[in-house]
Amino acid sequence: MGARDWLLTDTPGSPTQAQFGRAYQGWLQLADNRLAMLGLFIVVVLLFVAAFAPWLATHSPTAQVLSDRLQPPSAAHWLGTDELGRDIYSRIVHGSRLTLYIVGLVVIIVGPVGLAVGTIAGYLGGWVDVVLMRITDVFLAFPRLILALAFVAALGPGIENAIIAIAITAWPPYARMARAETLTIRKADYIAAARIQGAGPVRIIGRHVVPMCLSSVIVRLTLDMAGIILTAAGLGFLGLGAQPPLPEWGAMISTGRQYLLNQWWVATMPGLAIFIVSLGFNLLGDGLRDVLDPRQAR
Amino acid sequence: MLGHANALVKLAATLALTFFGLLLVTFLIGRVVPIDPVLAAVGDRASAAVYERARIEMGLDLPLWQQFLIYVQKVLTGDFGQSVLTAQPVLSDIARVFPATLELATVATFLGVLFGVPMGVIAAVHQGRWPDQVIRLLGLIGYSVPIFWLGLVALLVFYAKLQIVPGPGRLDIFYDDLVPWVTGVLLIDAALARNWIVWQNALSHLVLPSAILGYFSLAYISRMTRSLMLEQLRQEYILTARVKGLSETRVIWRHALGNTAVPLITVIALSYANLLEGSVLTEIIFAWPGLGFYITNSLLSADMNAVLGGTIVVGSVFIAINLLSDVLYRTLDPRAR
């Protein structure tokens, strides 16, 4: 019996086999979606580029060669050079690390915070629920970019502050979602069983509730990553995110803006990178949603 | 009826709480700013005595909760303080710039609805086949492209290279101040003054930024229309209508689309609210003197009164539109009552 048969059997012999089988079926369904595969490919390429940036780059991302400034794309500089003679291709390659850094940190903050607030509110109910959800609603009622702008204005520009500002504005939908999921399972028999066995709220939420909410939170995070990348790039473009000489894509567009009419490549190339990467995340997230959340699917 | 009134009271309470939260957050943001507001007012050459007097005058020696109460009272009476940049009250500044944003967002939403709704319907009808895929991809591209970059590229292509649209700004410079200010919305003001040359010029300036902003609302609206339509097309009354022999056009565009109207209004309202904020980056690119342009410029010169005032106004409009769509939903759809 091959691995494929073992995965696709109708009568799994153990819970582990059933789990692997379900994951494999999900993967087959995802693999069937050509656009989602394209998205996955883009994301994998991004990870690869970020991991091997020093080897993939042809120049140093910060080395200034003023005699070579504003060169059009050529064999020596594949995507041209910017106003300080830095190689744009190498800067974009290194910038992928910054993008992943921002997205990664925002996700690491937002996922657990949203999960914690949502599951606690949903499981405990009562006044805890009311207070936590009111706070969530307040943040949800804010326009996200404007709130992030105001926060960065208060904290001062910089990549860490941009991450904090984006995270503060991004967690509420996750709390909402986790709460909704928790409400549907809090009365389930297996929760009651755990409680009768003497499990406290912390254990029940941590071991039995959170795992049930994970898949929808992950899908939503994947879908949101494009939005996070765009917000970070927007802040960078306004000069409020990563500061020069960091090769952040949004900030690169901002400096290239002055040279738009005569040296179009300075501003357009980093924008293309942002576009391709966030399209990748959107395509992947869209496909993932079809697989993991059949209610939303066609 | 009692249930309805009850729901309204609940809604009002939520609204008040949300607005209170908005004020609290902006107040706290204003407190953590590293800029010393006293120093900003008296200058760094003031003596210690002058500094101390100004601090007391500004109420900064009071406990934080008292400061907050004073802040709430001021905001409720429309006093957002003075803008350092323009030396005007922030509220009058905002009244001056807001119509420009309103004009841009309204035209963009109009474009988004005009193209987004039919695209969503077509995608739903051809579910899974190539028109659906094309429209889906178009929508995803709209979600993925950085709006400020798209604006730059559009300016490069249509303004610099092809020269078929005018450059940034709301009007060519020699048309400035030709029509009297009535509403601040140039298309309306020029029409009122019957100055069609200015009207045309204003319209031509609107084309590019509103098309770009409209693309974003199209992405959202077409996607939501598609899923709303799919829900309707599965219903049995559609089958009944077809069995009765109604034409396919009538079944789809009258019966099915007609039944999505109520949730669709909510979708459009939400996208309108999102555009009010989404216009920030577009306004920067097109030097469009609206609220987003104002907030960012104030931010870059550390003019916190203006930034926070602008945040409160955008936040309030946001809350108001959400509320309005909620009320509209309840009134139009008897099932929601």
Side-chain angles (χ1 to χ4, degrees):
Chain A
M1 189 167 78
R4 194 183 143 83
D5 294 326
W6 183 79
L7 284 167
L8 289 180
T9 177
D10 283 334
T11 49
S14 67
T16 328
Q17 188 182 356
Q19 253 177 9
F20 273 108
R22 271 202 54 187
Y24 184 64
Q25 278 176 356
W27 162 252
L28 286 183
Q29 209 185 331
L30 188 69
D32 216 30
N33 183 342
R34 253 179 272 163
L35 287 179
M37 282 296 106
L38 177 64
L40 184 64
F41 174 74
I42 294 173
V43 173
V44 169
V45 168
L46 173 74
L47 292 172
F48 177 80
V49 168
F52 299 101
W55 293 277
L56 290 171
T58 51
H59 297 69
S60 152
T62 46
Q64 306 181 2
V65 185
L66 289 177
S67 55
D68 277 352
R69 63 195 294 268
L70 298 171
Q71 294 293 312
S74 65
H77 299 284
W78 296 347
L79 302 180
T81 62
D82 66 5
E83 77 285 359
L84 296 171
R86 295 172 297 195
D87 182 56
I88 292 177
Y89 164 73
S90 304
R91 283 176 70 72
I92 289 179
V93 166
H94 278 272
S96 65
R97 291 187 160 186
L98 286 175
T99 300
L100 275 183
Y101 175 67
I102 295 171
V103 172
L105 272 181
V106 169
V107 166
I108 287 174
I109 301 172
V110 162
V113 169
L115 265 177
V117 172
T119 51
I120 291 173
Y123 182 73
L124 294 182
W127 65 268
V128 180
D129 184 28
V130 172
V131 170
L132 287 179
M133 281 304 110
R134 276 294 148 266
I135 297 176
T136 310
D137 281 349
V138 167
F139 276 90
L140 214 54
F142 272 116
R144 272 172 75 167
L145 184 65
I146 304 248
L147 185 62
L149 281 180
F151 269 111
V152 179
L155 300 169
I159 192 163
E160 274 81 19
N161 289 343
I163 291 170
I164 295 172
I166 297 173
I168 287 176
T169 55
W171 65 269
Y174 299 93
R176 268 277 184 87
M177 209 166 58
R179 176 176 175 268
E181 298 255 322
T182 309
L183 285 183
T184 62
I185 57 172
R186 64 182 282 209
K187 291 271 192 288
D189 286 343
Y190 80 96
I191 300 280
R195 198 179 304 136
I196 290 167
Q197 285 176 343
V202 176
R203 188 180 175 83
I204 292 180
I205 292 175
R207 292 291 295 273
H208 300 291
V209 177
V210 167
M212 300 301 287
C213 308
L214 265 183
S215 80
S216 44
V217 167
I218 290 174
V219 174
R220 174 85 204 226
L221 275 173
T222 323
L223 271 175
D224 240 19
M225 280 184 191
I228 295 169
I229 292 172
L230 290 180
T231 312
L235 289 176
F237 175 74
L238 293 173
L240 298 169
Q243 298 297 304
L246 283 180
E248 199 272 322
W249 295 344
M252 287 170 73
I253 299 179
S254 171
T255 50
R257 193 179 161 199
Q258 308 162 42
Y259 310 99
L260 184 67
L261 295 188
N262 297 314
Q263 286 89 20
W264 54 270
W265 57 89
V266 185
T268 40
M269 295 303 182
L272 217 52
I274 301 173
F275 169 55
I276 291 171
V277 167
S278 61
L279 184 65
F281 277 112
N282 269 332
L283 289 173
L284 180 63
D286 215 41
L288 270 183
R289 183 173 50 191
D290 285 355
V291 173
L292 294 179
D293 192 2
R295 276 164 301 174
Q296 294 259 329
R298 15 190 162 167
Chain B
M1 200 57 219
L2 198 66
H4 196 43
N6 215 343
L8 279 183
V9 169
K10 229 174 174 172
L11 209 62
T14 312
L15 184 75
L17 239 127
T18 314
F19 187 68
F20 179 79
L22 179 73
L23 293 185
L24 188 63
V25 172
T26 48
F27 173 75
L28 290 177
I29 290 176
R31 286 305 121 192
V32 294
V33 186
I35 313 155
D36 185 344
V38 184
L39 216 56
V42 297
D44 51 2
R45 294 211 196 134
S47 66
V50 173
Y51 179 91
E52 195 52 36
R53 207 175 63 223
R55 202 169 88 91
I56 292 170
E57 258 173 31
M58 294 168 86
L60 291 170
D61 56 329
L62 298 171
L64 213 55
W65 63 270
Q66 274 188 7
Q67 289 188 33
F68 179 61
L69 285 185
I70 294 171
Y71 177 76
V72 170
Q73 197 186 1
K74 275 189 168 172
V75 168
L76 288 181
T77 52
D79 178 6
F80 295 129
Q82 289 261 329
S83 157
V84 180
L85 199 63
T86 59
Q88 297 273 324
V90 169
L91 193 65
S92 72
D93 271 355
I94 290 177
R96 185 169 45 79
V97 297
F98 193 65
T101 300
L102 198 67
E103 185 171 35
L104 186 58
T106 307
V107 176
T109 304
F110 177 72
L111 291 176
V113 173
L114 191 67
F115 293 101
V117 172
M119 278 170 69
V121 172
I122 290 169
V125 171
H126 298 277
Q127 183 194 3
R129 274 167 287 155
W130 69 264
D132 186 23
Q133 302 290 358
V134 169
I135 290 169
R136 185 177 190 171
L137 195 63
L138 266 179
L140 280 176
I141 290 175
Y143 276 118
S144 310
V145 69
I147 192 166
F148 51 99
W149 177 75
L150 192 62
L152 282 177
V153 172
L155 269 182
L156 179 67
V157 173
F158 296 107
Y159 167 61
K161 297 276 187 258
L162 300 177
Q163 304 195 330
I164 49 176
V165 295
R170 288 180 85 187
L171 279 177
D172 285 341
I173 193 143
F174 33 90
Y175 293 120
D176 269 348
D177 300 322
L178 274 189
V179 293
W181 173 286
V182 185
T183 58
V185 178
L186 277 175
L187 287 182
I188 295 178
D189 285 359
L192 284 178
R194 301 192 188 286
N195 192 334
W196 301 111
I197 299 171
V198 172
W199 192 84
Q200 235 176 18
N201 190 257
L203 188 67
S204 68
H205 275 264
L206 253 173
V207 170
L208 210 50
S210 65
I212 282 172
L213 216 48
Y215 180 34
F216 284 79
S217 96
L218 175 152
Y220 177 67
I221 290 176
S222 70
R223 194 188 182 104
M224 297 308 284
T225 308
R226 176 182 178 274
S227 76
L228 289 173
M229 278 298 283
L230 282 181
E231 212 173 284
Q232 292 301 325
L233 288 176
R234 263 189 296 240
Q235 307 282 330
E236 283 180 355
Y237 75 89
I238 295 292
L239 191 67
T240 315
R242 283 190 178 134
V243 170
K244 259 172 42 185
L246 292 184
S247 71
E248 198 56 19
T249 326
R250 203 177 161 82
V251 171
I252 290 163
W253 296 93
R254 268 300 264 283
H255 290 238
L257 187 62
N259 273 307
T260 64
V262 175
L264 204 55
I265 287 173
T266 321
V267 167
I268 292 167
L270 280 180
S271 101
Y272 190 62
N274 280 326
L275 281 197
L276 282 181
E277 87 153 340
S279 62
V280 172
L281 292 164
T282 317
E283 285 179 10
I284 304 281
I285 295 293
F286 290 96
W288 194 264
L291 195 55
F293 192 67
Y294 176 72
I295 292 179
T296 344
N297 270 341
S298 315
L299 199 126
L300 293 177
S301 41
D303 189 352
M304 277 321 274
N305 280 346
V307 173
L308 295 180
T311 309
I312 291 176
V313 169
V314 178
S316 308
V317 173
F318 213 69
I319 296 171
I321 291 180
N322 275 320
L323 177 79
L324 201 70
S325 69
D326 203 38
V327 170
L328 222 56
Y329 190 84
R330 275 165 210 271
T331 339
L332 292 180
D333 191 345
R335 284 168 303 180
R337 272 179 214 154

